[in-house]
Amino acid sequence: MQSLTRSLCWAWHFLTIIPIPFIGQVEPSSRELARSMRWYPVVGYVLGSGLALLDRGFAAVVPPEARALLIVAALVVVTGGLHQDGLADTVDGLAKRGTPEERLGAMRDSRIGALGATALVLTLGLRYTGLLALVPSDWPFVLVCMPAIGRWSMVIGAYGVPYARSQGG
């Protein structure tokens, strides 16, 4: 049981910026981090439940356009922009002309390129307009499912896609 709890804590620690006081002092081994992936959908469900509660709290006092923006921003903030950083790096690497090593170098570069920035703006805009395209009464269901399915797809991708670097990671 302790192993499962520890694994859940590592998943939470990796996927959010919300601290768990007793786990922040030690870094997980690569094996522990890999084992924590089973909990990614659960972390997504908890994040989504928080978004649904946020939406419910704002529903009476904030118009849908502002609520959608606040919800998208809240998810970005609570996850530390992890997905945004990965998306920008991926787009910058794929857009780079050159050898595979040069492309991987572009992905490791801490600076964002024009196409990476464009991808960020477009995906955040799609999340915003996607919420607005729904009937507001459907938002809670979507807000709970969206992060859970997103984290589940990370697990599927990690197992089903080969590493870009020969040494893995």
Side-chain angles (χ1 to χ4, degrees):
M1 181 67 177
Q2 183 182 13
S3 170
L4 287 176
T5 304
R6 186 174 172 87
S7 188
L8 173 60
C9 289
W10 284 127
W12 183 263
H13 181 69
F14 180 70
L15 294 172
T16 75
I17 63 166
I18 301 169
I20 299 175
F22 59 88
I23 203 162
Q25 284 77 31
V26 182
E27 285 299 314
S29 68
S30 58
R31 184 179 203 104
E32 286 177 310
L33 199 53
R35 284 186 182 152
S36 75
M37 292 181 76
R38 74 182 88 170
W39 292 104
Y40 284 14
V42 174
V43 172
Y45 177 78
V46 172
L47 291 172
S49 297
L51 294 177
L53 287 172
L54 183 68
D55 176 56
R56 185 174 182 163
F58 284 145
V61 293
V62 179
E65 295 82 5
R67 279 186 12 235
L69 185 60
L70 289 169
I71 288 166
V72 170
L75 186 58
V76 170
V77 169
V78 80
T79 60
L82 176 67
H83 297 80
Q84 286 67 39
D85 183 51
L87 173 67
D89 289 344
T90 300
V91 171
D92 285 340
L94 291 174
K96 173 82 173 156
R97 294 183 184 184
T99 66
E101 292 78 25
E102 291 171 325
R103 288 177 168 208
L104 288 171
M107 293 170 101
R108 279 191 294 269
D109 190 344
S110 63
R111 297 169 294 178
I112 189 170
L115 288 177
T118 302
L120 288 178
V121 170
L122 291 175
T123 57
L124 291 171
L126 282 171
R127 289 182 199 177
Y128 173 78
T129 56
L131 273 175
L132 290 178
L134 298 171
V135 177
S137 62
D138 291 342
W139 285 24
F141 175 75
V142 172
L143 292 173
V144 169
C145 291
M146 178 182 62
I149 293 169
R151 274 73 188 164
W152 180 66
S153 68
M154 290 172 64
V155 175
I156 300 298
Y159 285 107
V161 177
Y163 288 117
R165 290 181 268 159
S166 58
Q167 68 273 23

